[in-house]
Amino acid sequence: MRVGRAIPAVLLLVAGCSPAADLPLAKAEVAKFRKQWASGRCGEIHAGAAPDFIQSTSREQWMQLCPLLAAKLGPFQSSSEPGWTDNLFNGEHFVILTYQSRFANGPGQEEFVYRLDGGRATLAGYHVNSNLLLEPAPASGEPGEDGDQLGVAMDNGISG
């Protein structure tokens, strides 16, 4: 009898995640992020992010971090097809995409966390791991449209 009650709850959880619909939404947002990155539009990334991202990383922090990381990594060049997770976490729906990426200065692993709500994906977390981050930044670079170079990375505490 208890098993019978658990089945609808499991079906409800599974119904909330539809990789066929969710992955294209998240991948489209990664493409948007990359375009903003390439143009140095760091402020736009922060302004369009989910509340979890904005609360964990102030605009001031983000605008200081972006040029530093951009200088270390260099411009994005390419990435592999992502690994992904589509799940519900504390009643919230997230898609996490993990890429093996190539930047101008070398390789790195990127993780994009998107909050899905109402058919929309918003950036909830961005993480980058690279040995390049341990090295001194190159001496110069070009600022982006809003006066800042774009880099990567802030955490909202949600991880795949």
Side-chain angles (χ1 to χ4, degrees):
M1 187 167 220
R2 288 183 187 210
V3 172
R5 290 183 184 162
I7 291 174
V10 169
L11 291 177
L12 179 62
L13 288 175
V14 172
C17 298
S18 172
D22 300 342
L23 291 176
L25 282 175
K27 285 181 177 182
E29 288 300 313
V30 169
K32 179 180 170 185
F33 179 100
R34 294 206 192 287
K35 285 180 184 176
Q36 290 170 321
W37 162 292
S39 301
R41 298 190 325 251
C42 194
E44 286 181 30
I45 292 171
H46 192 271
D52 356 24
F53 184 89
I54 292 169
Q55 290 169 4
S56 71
T57 310
S58 72
R59 179 177 170 81
E60 182 180 338
Q61 291 170 324
W62 181 246
M63 299 305 276
Q64 289 175 3
L65 183 62
C66 287
L68 174 70
L69 294 175
K72 288 185 175 218
L73 297 169
F76 169 80
Q77 293 183 330
S78 63
S79 65
S80 62
E81 184 64 22
W84 57 270
T85 302
D86 188 359
N87 62 22
L88 294 172
F89 178 75
N90 289 338
E92 303 290 339
H93 188 179
F94 295 93
V95 170
I96 302 167
L97 301 172
T98 304
Y99 292 86
Q100 298 303 320
S101 299
R102 183 88 185 141
F103 298 93
N105 297 336
Q109 181 183 36
E110 295 179 288
E111 181 183 75
F112 293 86
V113 180
Y114 285 97
R115 173 185 291 276
L116 274 66
D117 189 20
R120 196 167 162 245
T122 52
L123 185 67
Y126 179 74
H127 316 105
V128 62
N129 293 309
S130 174
N131 288 337
L132 296 169
L133 300 177
L134 302 173
E135 299 171 8
S140 66
E142 292 181 79
E145 280 180 21
D146 59 2
D148 297 289
Q149 295 174 350
L150 181 60
V152 288
M154 276 330 265
D155 186 12
N156 67 344
I158 300 167
S159 200

